[in-house]
Amino acid sequence: MVFEIDCRLGHQRITLYQMTSRAPYLNSRMQGFGTTIFAQMSALAHRHNAINLGQGFPDVDGPIEIAEAAINAIRDGYNQYPPGQGIAELRTAIASHQAHYYDLNYDFETQVLVTAGATEAIAASLLAICEVGDEVIVFEPFYDSYAAAIALSGAKLVPVQLSKPNWEFDPEYLRRVVTPRTRALILNSPHNPTGKVFSYNELEQIAGLCVEYDLIAITDEVYEHLIFEGSHYPLANFENMQDRCISISSAAKTFSFTGWKIGWITASTKLIEAVKTVKQFLTYANGAPFQVAIAYALNEPARFCERIAPSLAESRNELSLGLEKLHFSAMKSDGTYFVTTDISDIYSGTALEFCMELPERVGVVAIPSSVFYQTPNQGEKLVRWTFCKRIDVITEALARLSKL
Ligand code: PMP
Ligand code: GLN
């Protein structure tokens, strides 16, 4: 198999390390989007039998009771298409979750939509609300599917930088990038890849801007329960925001079942109508028995939603402190699965070169953060590591890294 590093700037973002650099049948909107970095780095981990601190998936499955609820649902006959909007038990459980944790009220009949993971929710939302040529503001660095989904919709991604080490944005700059074509803003908090949890004050500024310029806010809240410092404040909670927010979450991270792909949206009836129109032609519906199991999991909030953060905080400490000791400069991670390090003190090349060498040199995989930037030459010294792994796996990874 021929591998090559392809750092060409694609249509919207940098494509790295593709199996082939040409995609003759691919439409112009998607040219430059290669195989995702997560798939590529997991393939490298497999090839070198390396510890995978790249792609964010836990190495311990979620609670057995939830898995058994899915198995029972299969036995009980939840094996045909569920309703396109999602089964009523799950929509009711999602509405109760929003009311319980955030005091946000949604009608489960008209204001909740179940999706094939947050990934489909994000894509369907953008495809639903954007016209060709619209602009979508995104805080940079950003999760990779945003650029692809924006490109598919024919809109243009407008980045607003989060500056390290605290990942703050310049509110004046944010205001300056708004134009008459700005349709939406994507907010991801807790934030992948940085681990930033946006503060109340920052969210208030973002909400104010959305109201002032009549923007739709697409909020990616998949890490809402994976917070170690601070609190999660949904943007929909701010004044005049609930009706302009498409609030997205997912069972993947909260319950440690990333392969089940059960996500959801809560939004106003009009926004749900728009997104549902697109969603029905993407997947129509998915995961009937998993929907039953996630309804069960959400209906037991104290037992399951709140279980993940304490154990993950331990893993975060273990990895962050371990990396610090090895002279990787680790930045504070207040939430998510991820910690970012600056490798300037230990490596003269780029993070991409570092991450490509690492599996073969010491048997560890990490993600070069440059893939999360559209702006050229950004994140070149930054590496993202995931700590959603067993402590003994993290310890072994650190032991291997100490041989560098
Ligand atoms: N948004 C962010 C920020 C993510 O990190 C991920 C990866 N889980 C997703 C969305 C996709 O979520 P899902 O697996 O539910 O599609
Ligand atoms: N969200 C995961 C991460 O950031 C990756 C999910 C995927 O591979 N699509 O690592």
Side-chain angles (χ1 to χ4, degrees), residues 136-277:
V136 180
I137 296 173
V138 181
F139 291 102
E140 186 180 49
F142 51 80
Y143 181 58
D144 71 340
S145 86
Y146 303 164
I150 291 170
L152 279 173
S153 77
K156 183 176 162 222
L157 189 156
V158 178
V160 171
Q161 293 272 322
L162 298 172
S163 307
K164 66 181 170 60
N166 294 323
W167 308 110
E168 286 148 349
F169 63 91
D170 175 353
E172 279 315 309
Y173 184 74
L174 175 61
R175 179 172 293 277
R176 277 209 303 280
V177 298
V178 179
T179 75
R181 289 310 305 256
T182 309
R183 178 67 167 146
L185 174 148
I186 301 181
L187 175 75
N188 171 216
S189 181
H191 182 261
N192 180 5
T194 63
K196 172 189 174 75
V197 176
F198 282 69
S199 69
Y200 189 90
N201 184 35
E202 288 173 319
L203 295 169
E204 206 168 32
Q205 290 173 9
I206 295 167
L209 194 87
C210 291
V211 173
E212 187 178 338
Y213 292 100
D214 193 21
L215 309 183
I216 295 171
I218 299 176
T219 65
D220 179 345
E221 303 177 44
V222 298
Y223 298 102
E224 63 186 309
H225 289 289
L226 280 59
I227 292 196
F228 323 119
E229 322 286 337
S231 302
H232 179 60
Y233 303 109
L235 206 58
N237 262 140
F238 289 77
E239 209 180 338
N240 297 323
M241 283 305 288
Q242 189 169 348
D243 279 353
R244 62 176 67 253
C245 267
I246 300 179
S247 307
I248 295 173
S249 196
S250 159
K253 311 295 155 63
T254 301
F255 302 116
S256 301
F257 288 111
T258 61
W260 287 12
K261 298 298 287 187
I262 301 296
W264 55 83
I265 298 175
T266 47
S268 69
T269 306
K270 284 182 186 160
L271 281 170
I272 288 286
E273 268 308 315
V275 181
K276 192 172 68 174
T277 304

Side-chain angles (χ1 to χ4, degrees), residues 316-355:
R316 177 212 48 179
N317 295 345
E318 191 72 18
L319 184 61
S320 299
L321 294 175
L323 287 168
E324 273 291 331
K325 275 191 200 141
L326 298 176
H327 307 292
F328 289 83
S329 150
M331 286 165 229
K332 201 160 160 278
S333 166
D334 289 340
T336 74
Y337 277 167
F338 310 111
V339 58
T340 296
T341 57
D342 189 321
I343 57 164
S344 305
D345 288 346
I346 54 150
Y347 189 79
S348 60
T350 66
L352 174 65
E353 289 158 350
F354 177 79
C355 290

Side-chain angles (χ1 to χ4, degrees), residues 102-119:
Y102 310 124
D103 207 15
L104 283 167
N105 293 309
Y106 293 97
D107 176 356
F108 82 98
E109 295 279 18
T110 59
Q111 299 184 327
V112 181
L113 179 66
V114 176
T115 56
T119 308

